PDB file of all heavy atoms in Angstrom:
ATOM      1  N   GLN A 174     -17.816   8.849  -3.518  1.00 95.00           N
ATOM      2  CA  GLN A 174     -16.492   8.679  -2.905  1.00 95.00           C
ATOM      3  C   GLN A 174     -16.123   9.804  -1.956  1.00 95.00           C
ATOM      4  O   GLN A 174     -15.231   9.638  -1.113  1.00 95.00           O
ATOM      5  CB  GLN A 174     -15.408   8.535  -3.992  1.00 95.00           C
ATOM      6  CG  GLN A 174     -15.250   9.718  -4.920  1.00 95.00           C
ATOM      7  CD  GLN A 174     -16.079   9.571  -6.184  1.00 95.00           C
ATOM      8  OE1 GLN A 174     -17.136   8.931  -6.198  1.00 95.00           O
ATOM      9  NE2 GLN A 174     -15.603  10.178  -7.267  1.00 95.00           N
ATOM     10  N   ARG A 175     -16.785  10.934  -2.033  1.00 96.00           N
ATOM     11  CA  ARG A 175     -16.464  12.026  -1.107  1.00 96.00           C
ATOM     12  C   ARG A 175     -16.756  11.628   0.341  1.00 96.00           C
ATOM     13  O   ARG A 175     -16.205  12.202   1.266  1.00 96.00           O
ATOM     14  CB  ARG A 175     -17.229  13.288  -1.496  1.00 96.00           C
ATOM     15  CG  ARG A 175     -16.652  13.970  -2.743  1.00 96.00           C
ATOM     16  CD  ARG A 175     -17.642  14.963  -3.334  1.00 96.00           C
ATOM     17  NE  ARG A 175     -17.083  15.652  -4.483  1.00 96.00           N
ATOM     18  CZ  ARG A 175     -17.007  15.138  -5.711  1.00 96.00           C
ATOM     19  NH1 ARG A 175     -17.436  13.907  -5.946  1.00 96.00           N
ATOM     20  NH2 ARG A 175     -16.496  15.848  -6.708  1.00 96.00           N
ATOM     21  N   LEU A 176     -17.611  10.633   0.526  1.00 96.00           N
ATOM     22  CA  LEU A 176     -17.897  10.148   1.876  1.00 96.00           C
ATOM     23  C   LEU A 176     -16.653   9.569   2.549  1.00 96.00           C
ATOM     24  O   LEU A 176     -16.628   9.418   3.768  1.00 96.00           O
ATOM     25  CB  LEU A 176     -18.978   9.063   1.839  1.00 96.00           C
ATOM     26  CG  LEU A 176     -20.379   9.522   1.431  1.00 96.00           C
ATOM     27  CD1 LEU A 176     -21.256   8.314   1.135  1.00 96.00           C
ATOM     28  CD2 LEU A 176     -21.014  10.356   2.542  1.00 96.00           C
ATOM     29  N   PHE A 177     -15.634   9.253   1.725  1.00 93.00           N
ATOM     30  CA  PHE A 177     -14.402   8.667   2.258  1.00 93.00           C
ATOM     31  C   PHE A 177     -13.200   9.574   2.026  1.00 93.00           C
ATOM     32  O   PHE A 177     -12.062   9.163   2.201  1.00 93.00           O
ATOM     33  CB  PHE A 177     -14.152   7.299   1.611  1.00 93.00           C
ATOM     34  CG  PHE A 177     -15.235   6.322   1.951  1.00 93.00           C
ATOM     35  CD1 PHE A 177     -16.374   6.237   1.186  1.00 93.00           C
ATOM     36  CD2 PHE A 177     -15.129   5.518   3.072  1.00 93.00           C
ATOM     37  CE1 PHE A 177     -17.405   5.364   1.517  1.00 93.00           C
ATOM     38  CE2 PHE A 177     -16.144   4.637   3.414  1.00 93.00           C
ATOM     39  CZ  PHE A 177     -17.283   4.563   2.633  1.00 93.00           C
ATOM     40  N   ASN A 178     -13.483  10.781   1.642  1.00 93.00           N
ATOM     41  CA  ASN A 178     -12.419  11.726   1.340  1.00 93.00           C
ATOM     42  C   ASN A 178     -12.005  12.430   2.627  1.00 93.00           C
ATOM     43  O   ASN A 178     -12.839  13.097   3.261  1.00 93.00           O
ATOM     44  CB  ASN A 178     -12.946  12.724   0.307  1.00 93.00           C
ATOM     45  CG  ASN A 178     -11.907  13.693  -0.170  1.00 93.00           C
ATOM     46  OD1 ASN A 178     -11.213  14.303   0.639  1.00 93.00           O
ATOM     47  ND2 ASN A 178     -11.798  13.841  -1.463  1.00 93.00           N
ATOM     48  N   PRO A 179     -10.743  12.324   3.034  1.00 90.00           N
ATOM     49  CA  PRO A 179     -10.317  12.921   4.306  1.00 90.00           C
ATOM     50  C   PRO A 179     -10.603  14.417   4.417  1.00 90.00           C
ATOM     51  O   PRO A 179     -10.945  14.902   5.495  1.00 90.00           O
ATOM     52  CB  PRO A 179      -8.811  12.643   4.336  1.00 90.00           C
ATOM     53  CG  PRO A 179      -8.644  11.396   3.547  1.00 90.00           C
ATOM     54  CD  PRO A 179      -9.647  11.505   2.432  1.00 90.00           C
ATOM     55  N   VAL A 180     -10.503  15.151   3.320  1.00 93.00           N
ATOM     56  CA  VAL A 180     -10.797  16.593   3.382  1.00 93.00           C
ATOM     57  C   VAL A 180     -12.265  16.799   3.730  1.00 93.00           C
ATOM     58  O   VAL A 180     -12.613  17.636   4.567  1.00 93.00           O
ATOM     59  CB  VAL A 180     -10.457  17.285   2.042  1.00 93.00           C
ATOM     60  CG1 VAL A 180     -10.998  18.710   2.016  1.00 93.00           C
ATOM     61  CG2 VAL A 180      -8.949  17.287   1.814  1.00 93.00           C
ATOM     62  N   TYR A 181     -13.131  16.031   3.089  1.00 95.00           N
ATOM     63  CA  TYR A 181     -14.568  16.159   3.358  1.00 95.00           C
ATOM     64  C   TYR A 181     -14.899  15.688   4.774  1.00 95.00           C
ATOM     65  O   TYR A 181     -15.697  16.310   5.472  1.00 95.00           O
ATOM     66  CB  TYR A 181     -15.377  15.363   2.330  1.00 95.00           C
ATOM     67  CG  TYR A 181     -15.453  16.031   0.982  1.00 95.00           C
ATOM     68  CD1 TYR A 181     -14.366  15.993   0.107  1.00 95.00           C
ATOM     69  CD2 TYR A 181     -16.593  16.707   0.575  1.00 95.00           C
ATOM     70  CE1 TYR A 181     -14.409  16.618  -1.118  1.00 95.00           C
ATOM     71  CE2 TYR A 181     -16.655  17.335  -0.667  1.00 95.00           C
ATOM     72  CZ  TYR A 181     -15.552  17.273  -1.504  1.00 95.00           C
ATOM     73  OH  TYR A 181     -15.600  17.895  -2.726  1.00 95.00           O
ATOM     74  N   LEU A 182     -14.271  14.603   5.195  1.00 93.00           N
ATOM     75  CA  LEU A 182     -14.553  14.084   6.531  1.00 93.00           C
ATOM     76  C   LEU A 182     -14.138  15.103   7.594  1.00 93.00           C
ATOM     77  O   LEU A 182     -14.885  15.370   8.538  1.00 93.00           O
ATOM     78  CB  LEU A 182     -13.819  12.755   6.738  1.00 93.00           C
ATOM     79  CG  LEU A 182     -14.425  11.581   5.956  1.00 93.00           C
ATOM     80  CD1 LEU A 182     -13.439  10.424   5.876  1.00 93.00           C
ATOM     81  CD2 LEU A 182     -15.727  11.115   6.604  1.00 93.00           C
ATOM     82  N   GLU A 183     -12.957  15.662   7.427  1.00 92.00           N
ATOM     83  CA  GLU A 183     -12.499  16.662   8.389  1.00 92.00           C
ATOM     84  C   GLU A 183     -13.368  17.910   8.312  1.00 92.00           C
ATOM     85  O   GLU A 183     -13.772  18.473   9.329  1.00 92.00           O
ATOM     86  CB  GLU A 183     -11.030  17.017   8.108  1.00 92.00           C
ATOM     87  CG  GLU A 183     -10.476  18.169   8.929  1.00 92.00           C
ATOM     88  CD  GLU A 183     -10.423  17.920  10.424  1.00 92.00           C
ATOM     89  OE1 GLU A 183     -10.316  16.743  10.832  1.00 92.00           O
ATOM     90  OE2 GLU A 183     -10.514  18.909  11.194  1.00 92.00           O
ATOM     91  N   GLY A 184     -13.676  18.329   7.092  1.00 95.00           N
ATOM     92  CA  GLY A 184     -14.509  19.518   6.928  1.00 95.00           C
ATOM     93  C   GLY A 184     -15.897  19.320   7.508  1.00 95.00           C
ATOM     94  O   GLY A 184     -16.435  20.204   8.179  1.00 95.00           O
ATOM     95  N   MET A 185     -16.466  18.158   7.283  1.00 95.00           N
ATOM     96  CA  MET A 185     -17.807  17.886   7.819  1.00 95.00           C
ATOM     97  C   MET A 185     -17.779  17.868   9.342  1.00 95.00           C
ATOM     98  O   MET A 185     -18.713  18.331   9.997  1.00 95.00           O
ATOM     99  CB  MET A 185     -18.349  16.557   7.293  1.00 95.00           C
ATOM    100  CG  MET A 185     -18.698  16.575   5.815  1.00 95.00           C
ATOM    101  SD  MET A 185     -20.016  17.761   5.437  1.00 95.00           S
ATOM    102  CE  MET A 185     -20.089  17.574   3.652  1.00 95.00           C
ATOM    103  N   GLN A 186     -16.694  17.340   9.902  1.00 93.00           N
ATOM    104  CA  GLN A 186     -16.598  17.355  11.363  1.00 93.00           C
ATOM    105  C   GLN A 186     -16.658  18.809  11.858  1.00 93.00           C
ATOM    106  O   GLN A 186     -17.342  19.123  12.836  1.00 93.00           O
ATOM    107  CB  GLN A 186     -15.308  16.682  11.832  1.00 93.00           C
ATOM    108  CG  GLN A 186     -15.087  16.830  13.340  1.00 93.00           C
ATOM    109  CD  GLN A 186     -14.057  15.886  13.904  1.00 93.00           C
ATOM    110  OE1 GLN A 186     -14.361  15.074  14.766  1.00 93.00           O
ATOM    111  NE2 GLN A 186     -12.820  16.008  13.450  1.00 93.00           N
ATOM    112  N   ARG A 187     -15.940  19.689  11.180  1.00 94.00           N
ATOM    113  CA  ARG A 187     -15.924  21.090  11.602  1.00 94.00           C
ATOM    114  C   ARG A 187     -17.312  21.716  11.431  1.00 94.00           C
ATOM    115  O   ARG A 187     -17.785  22.470  12.289  1.00 94.00           O
ATOM    116  CB  ARG A 187     -14.895  21.871  10.785  1.00 94.00           C
ATOM    117  CG  ARG A 187     -13.472  21.400  11.010  1.00 94.00           C
ATOM    118  CD  ARG A 187     -12.489  22.210  10.213  1.00 94.00           C
ATOM    119  NE  ARG A 187     -11.152  21.635  10.269  1.00 94.00           N
ATOM    120  CZ  ARG A 187     -10.079  22.212   9.754  1.00 94.00           C
ATOM    121  NH1 ARG A 187     -10.170  23.387   9.161  1.00 94.00           N
ATOM    122  NH2 ARG A 187      -8.904  21.611   9.830  1.00 94.00           N
ATOM    123  N   ILE A 188     -17.960  21.384  10.324  1.00 96.00           N
ATOM    124  CA  ILE A 188     -19.305  21.939  10.083  1.00 96.00           C
ATOM    125  C   ILE A 188     -20.261  21.444  11.160  1.00 96.00           C
ATOM    126  O   ILE A 188     -21.009  22.234  11.757  1.00 96.00           O
ATOM    127  CB  ILE A 188     -19.811  21.533   8.682  1.00 96.00           C
ATOM    128  CG1 ILE A 188     -18.985  22.226   7.595  1.00 96.00           C
ATOM    129  CG2 ILE A 188     -21.293  21.864   8.511  1.00 96.00           C
ATOM    130  CD1 ILE A 188     -19.192  21.656   6.204  1.00 96.00           C
ATOM    131  N   HIS A 189     -20.216  20.152  11.442  1.00 94.00           N
ATOM    132  CA  HIS A 189     -21.161  19.591  12.403  1.00 94.00           C
ATOM    133  C   HIS A 189     -20.825  19.986  13.832  1.00 94.00           C
ATOM    134  O   HIS A 189     -21.680  19.917  14.714  1.00 94.00           O
ATOM    135  CB  HIS A 189     -21.241  18.074  12.224  1.00 94.00           C
ATOM    136  CG  HIS A 189     -21.703  17.677  10.861  1.00 94.00           C
ATOM    137  ND1 HIS A 189     -21.232  16.565  10.203  1.00 94.00           N
ATOM    138  CD2 HIS A 189     -22.579  18.252   9.999  1.00 94.00           C
ATOM    139  CE1 HIS A 189     -21.801  16.475   9.007  1.00 94.00           C
ATOM    140  NE2 HIS A 189     -22.616  17.489   8.857  1.00 94.00           N
TER     141      HIS A 189
END
Side-chain angles (χ1 to χ4, degrees):
Chain A
Q174 61 267 29
R175 286 164 178 79
L176 292 167
F177 296 88
N178 184 311
V180 169
Y181 284 77
L182 287 163
E183 173 64 27
M185 290 298 177
Q186 173 164 241
R187 296 181 189 186
I188 292 167
H189 300 144

